[in-house]
Amino acid sequence: MVKVYRSTVLNAPADRVWRDLRDFNGLANWHPLILSSRIENSHPADKVGCVRYLQLKDGARVREKLLSLSDYEYTCTCAILESPLDLSDYIATLRLLPVTEGNRCFIEWSAEFDCPPEKVAELADTVGGGLFQAGLDALKQRYGQT
Amino acid sequence: MKISVIQSAVIDAPIERVWAVLRDFSSQESWHPAVLRSRMENDAAGDVVGGVRQLSLTDGAEQREQLLSHNDCEYTFTYCIIDSPLPLFDYMATVRLKPVTDGNQTFWDWRTQFRAPDERAAKLKSMVQEQICEAGFAGLRTYLAGKTARPLPPGPETETAAAAAVGSKQIPSRAVVVAATGGPEVLSLSHVAVSAPGPRQVRIRQTAIAVNYLDLKHRRGISEGFELPGTPGLEGVGEIIDAGEQVNGLFPGDRVAYLSRTPGAYAEIRCIDADACIPLPDGVSDNDASSLLKGLLAALLLGRVFRAAAGATILIQAVSGGVGHLLCQWAKSMDLTVMGTVSTRQKAKFSRDRGCDYPIVAPDDIPPAAEVMRITNGRGVDYWVHSSGAHGLDSALASLAVGGHCAVIGDRDGQSITLDVNLLKRHSLTVSAPVCFDYFADRSYLQRAAHQLFAKIQRRMVIPVIQTFPLSQAAEAHQQIESRQNLGAVVLTPGG
């Protein structure tokens, strides 16, 4: 099992950031690597079990299923159903925690997955250093530097 | 009314750094501005789940809190209040740290839940928010800032050399080197350069180096484990200059004591395995901590080798020596009756001042059997700590009470000791020959025992007495022990 973890601090209250992040269909609005997102079968984006169909700017297509969404704990979990990456059993969690001092928020993005042993380093970098870090960097820009 | 408080902050330090402080449940007195004193009950370590801390607060209040969970993987612990003068009921709090990977900082989440009378709820809530959590965040920041490494103090001759060396790989130092075995005169001071610490090592500037009897045996070539040319010394105290890769929880500026089976301590600066280092709590000075090995031997002898019940009698040979004077004080803190042998009347007075009930002047450390029997009303002693090797062992066994124990901690210069087991059968006696390094290879036991020692020192129940010599007078220090003139421990101080 490979574990990937990235986190940072955003210069906005958790409530404010969560308004943007809770939209499972909204990744393309803020993530620089995502071109478009659609929810399959016309389900609402906050229906647990719904599937989003992502087109990435590099041409890749990824289908992800929403496993949990908590407005109370500012947490969203999803699994990859299909992707061009050579990994399996991928589950990722995005979580916000309020930083009461300064009215900011802490954001962490973590994932666990299986892959062939020789691909561990490459995939951990693609997911953590690529996807996650690019997303966090974009969010930092969006809400202003701390 | 049920009240929930969530406070959180970002600390500008790596999570290992913050957790190294917070994971110790008794550490609050070091960093929390509202806490004057925090001590674990029963000398428990600060990470023992179920352990209770007593807090003396700056407003005069006394409070007791119990550790309910502790998790080093998740960087979290939970505790509750047991006794408090305030109406805080069912009070439970969780501290959780998370790494901020983007910038190597730490997110600190502190959640508290409790019940309080309605009319006081608002006030108590803001008290928890401000005086406990926010003040705690600020206090820890100040504490960490104060612990960043100080610049190297300029030495008299090497001022420019040292200044030039800071940040570079090698640092000039001086070390005592033994080129050929012999008397104290073979200890000579040499200039050396200390390379940067390797993986899992730290480089430390030493302030106190205890001289142990084993060092003398190494110097004389009558004990294994010392290669020529070599630097003697098995333990030291100092401040970390820098840390190598894969070192967790130790940082530049930290004060540490260490114990190592491999000699090399008689030096101003050296590298040492991080695993051998034990961080020193406030309230334990560098000089106090220099008695680590001897104090740990006392902890081992009284806590693990043989457990004597309160009121039992213990006889300590050489009770005014480095190990003896610590054993004596520790035994008194356990309400044992202490007898001890000394070679002079001056040492007898010294020992009496440290709590020894019956100092016995006996030039060769063998107390007259009749004297021992008179003091114990013919019963014999329960526990005999023997350091004179084969010499007097028979009379030691003859002086033990039924079920008594004799711990042999000295072999007097490597002489063989033979034991007739039939002697043990006379009174159901047991004999042990504990070797510190065998027990303290178990790091968790090492930490527990060191914690007990430091707690005794902080409470002044055990006060190490030391006689110091500059590093350049290592020969004189050895001479002092060899001629048996020392009262307490002999310590080299490279800084002074």
Side-chain angles (χ1 to χ4, degrees):
Chain A
M1 184 69 77
V2 183
K3 292 183 181 184
V4 173
Y5 183 93
R6 289 288 188 281
S7 59
T8 191
V9 178
L10 301 177
N11 200 13
D15 278 330
R16 170 70 195 86
V17 177
W18 184 244
R19 241 191 287 153
D20 295 334
L21 297 195
R22 78 178 296 285
D23 181 4
F24 191 56
N25 198 27
L27 199 60
N29 298 338
W30 56 270
H31 199 296
L33 301 183
I34 311 294
L35 185 65
S36 71
S37 169
R38 280 177 296 168
I39 302 287
E40 296 180 352
N41 301 320
S42 308
H43 285 307
D46 50 8
K47 177 186 161 67
V48 171
C50 75
V51 175
R52 69 181 173 194
Y53 181 87
L54 301 173
Q55 279 190 294
L56 275 62
K57 288 186 178 159
D58 65 3
R61 284 145 212 276
V62 179
R63 292 178 67 230
E64 289 184 327
K65 182 176 185 175
L66 182 63
L67 299 183
S68 79
L69 185 71
S70 169
D71 285 331
Y72 173 64
E73 296 195 306
Y74 303 124
T75 303
C76 165
T77 306
C78 69
I80 288 183
L81 300 181
E82 291 170 38
S83 87
L85 297 175
D86 189 9
L87 46 72
S88 59
D89 296 321
Y90 172 104
I91 293 185
T93 300
L94 193 58
R95 181 195 309 270
L96 298 182
L97 286 160
V99 180
T100 59
E101 192 183 63
N103 204 17
R104 300 178 292 162
C105 72
F106 170 79
I107 177 171
E108 63 176 12
W109 205 346
S110 58
E112 290 188 358
F113 56 85
D114 283 323
C115 71
E118 68 276 11
K119 294 253 177 135
V120 168
E122 179 198 333
L123 284 172
D125 189 55
T126 304
V127 173
L131 186 70
F132 289 2
Q133 193 60 49
L136 295 182
D137 288 344
L139 290 172
K140 275 196 296 185
Q141 287 290 322
R142 189 178 176 94
Y143 302 109
Q145 291 294 326
T146 55
Chain B
M1 183 186 287
K2 202 162 169 70
I3 295 164
S4 170
V5 174
I6 299 179
Q7 293 296 123
S8 49
V10 176
I11 306 293
D12 192 12
I15 189 164
E16 294 81 12
R17 184 87 186 89
V18 179
W19 184 241
V21 179
L22 295 188
R23 73 180 298 284
D24 179 357
F25 196 50
S26 67
S27 69
Q28 281 204 331
E29 64 182 10
S30 313
W31 56 271
H32 201 296
V35 177
L36 266 186
R37 226 174 68 103
S38 54
R39 294 290 152 82
M40 297 299 288
E41 292 182 0
N42 303 318
D43 294 344
D47 55 3
V48 171
V49 174
V52 175
R53 68 179 174 198
Q54 292 180 0
L55 302 177
S56 306
L57 306 178
T58 42
D59 62 4
E62 297 281 331
Q63 190 154 301
R64 292 171 72 234
E65 300 180 347
Q66 185 169 33
L67 186 64
L68 300 177
S69 79
H70 174 105
N71 187 330
D72 280 326
C73 301
E74 303 269 332
Y75 303 107
T76 176
F77 64 90
T78 302
Y79 60 96
C80 67
I81 290 181
I82 305 178
D83 293 319
S84 171
L86 293 171
L88 301 165
F89 306 116
D90 300 333
Y91 185 103
M92 217 162 86
T94 297
V95 165
R96 178 188 301 269
L97 304 183
K98 283 170 174 280
V100 181
T101 61
D102 189 15
N104 209 12
Q105 298 171 312
T106 304
F107 171 70
W108 175 355
D109 187 79
W110 199 347
R111 297 177 181 225
T112 310
Q113 288 195 325
F114 61 95
R115 287 186 304 109
D118 289 356
E119 69 279 8
R120 297 185 66 174
K123 253 199 147 148
L124 287 169
K125 181 174 183 176
S126 66
M127 184 219 49
V128 172
Q129 283 173 332
E130 291 158 25
Q131 288 166 45
I132 296 181
C133 299
E134 287 174 7
F137 297 148
L140 190 82
R141 284 195 182 103
T142 308
Y143 176 75
L144 292 178
K147 290 204 61 160
T148 47
R150 286 182 280 285
L152 294 168
E157 308 128 45
T158 54
E159 190 163 357
T160 46
V166 180
S168 75
K169 294 245 173 219
Q170 293 199 326
I171 300 180
S173 166
R174 293 184 302 168
V176 173
V177 176
V178 174
T181 56
E185 70 283 354
V186 301
L187 298 166
S188 69
L189 200 59
S190 304
H191 287 271
V192 294
V194 180
S195 300
R200 292 185 291 278
Q201 280 194 327
V202 292
R203 183 160 51 177
I204 62 177
R205 177 176 303 282
Q206 305 199 102
T207 52
I209 304 153
V211 177
N212 288 293
Y213 200 74
L214 195 50
D215 304 347
L216 277 64
K217 291 164 89 175
H218 284 152
R219 190 206 71 216
R220 292 165 59 189
I222 56 170
S223 180
E224 291 175 0
F226 185 67
E227 289 172 11
L228 296 174
T231 296
L234 303 165
E235 59 173 329
V237 178
E239 184 179 300
I240 295 180
I241 300 169
D242 48 7
E245 288 172 18
Q246 300 162 53
V247 171
N248 296 323
L250 292 174
F251 300 86
D254 283 359
R255 290 191 312 129
V256 295
Y258 67 86
L259 199 60
S260 171
R261 206 167 200 154
T262 314
Y266 289 13
E268 291 168 342
I269 293 169
R270 73 169 304 195
C271 291
I272 185 77
D273 288 348
D275 269 354
C277 293
I278 300 166
L280 298 183
D282 296 347
V284 175
S285 71
D286 290 11
N287 281 347
D288 286 342
S290 69
S291 293
L292 183 67
L293 182 55
K294 299 174 188 78
L296 287 175
L297 180 57
L300 175 65
L301 287 169
L302 292 169
R304 189 141 165 186
V305 168
F306 183 73
R307 285 184 180 273
T313 50
I314 182 171
L315 187 140
I316 303 165
Q317 279 187 317
V319 70
S320 64
V323 175
H325 83 292
L326 298 176
L327 255 180
C328 173
Q329 296 176 65
W330 199 310
K332 286 315 292 179
S333 77
M334 296 167 66
D335 289 330
L336 304 186
T337 299
V338 178
M339 302 161 65
T341 60
V342 289
S343 56
T344 64
R345 302 192 71 81
Q346 184 208 4
K347 288 183 179 181
K349 178 177 187 317
F350 172 86
S351 301
R352 196 174 284 113
D353 291 344
R354 311 237 129 43
C356 181
D357 302 288
Y358 301 102
I360 302 170
V361 180
D364 56 356
D365 268 331
I366 314 299
E371 178 75 355
V372 175
M373 287 302 164
R374 187 189 62 77
I375 293 170
T376 57
N377 292 323
R379 215 183 137 263
V381 296
D382 298 293
Y383 191 4
W384 183 296
V385 179
H386 191 77
S387 52
S388 62
H391 188 60
L393 185 59
D394 285 0
S395 85
L397 297 179
S399 301
L400 282 172
V402 172
H405 182 81
C406 175
V408 179
I409 61 167
D411 62 4
R412 232 181 222 189
D413 303 346
Q415 298 163 0
S416 73
I417 306 173
T418 51
L419 175 66
D420 179 359
V421 175
N422 281 320
L423 289 178
L424 306 182
K425 283 177 71 178
R426 283 203 305 233
H427 279 128
S428 299
L429 309 178
T430 50
V431 173
S432 64
V435 175
C436 256
F437 289 106
D438 289 336
Y439 285 86
F440 295 113
D442 172 0
R443 182 152 170 83
S444 72
Y445 178 55
L446 170 66
Q447 285 178 323
R448 272 204 316 282
H451 180 83
Q452 286 175 351
L453 171 65
F454 294 154
K456 296 260 183 214
I457 291 175
Q458 281 175 320
R459 293 176 187 183
R460 308 319 277 168
M461 292 161 94
V462 170
I463 303 175
V465 175
I466 65 168
Q467 185 181 357
T468 62
F469 290 84
L471 191 60
S472 55
Q473 290 177 20
E476 285 81 349
H478 275 210
Q479 182 64 40
Q480 185 78 3
I481 295 181
E482 230 143 46
S483 61
R484 306 191 62 193
Q485 286 172 8
N486 59 302
L487 290 171
V490 173
V491 172
L492 302 173
T493 51

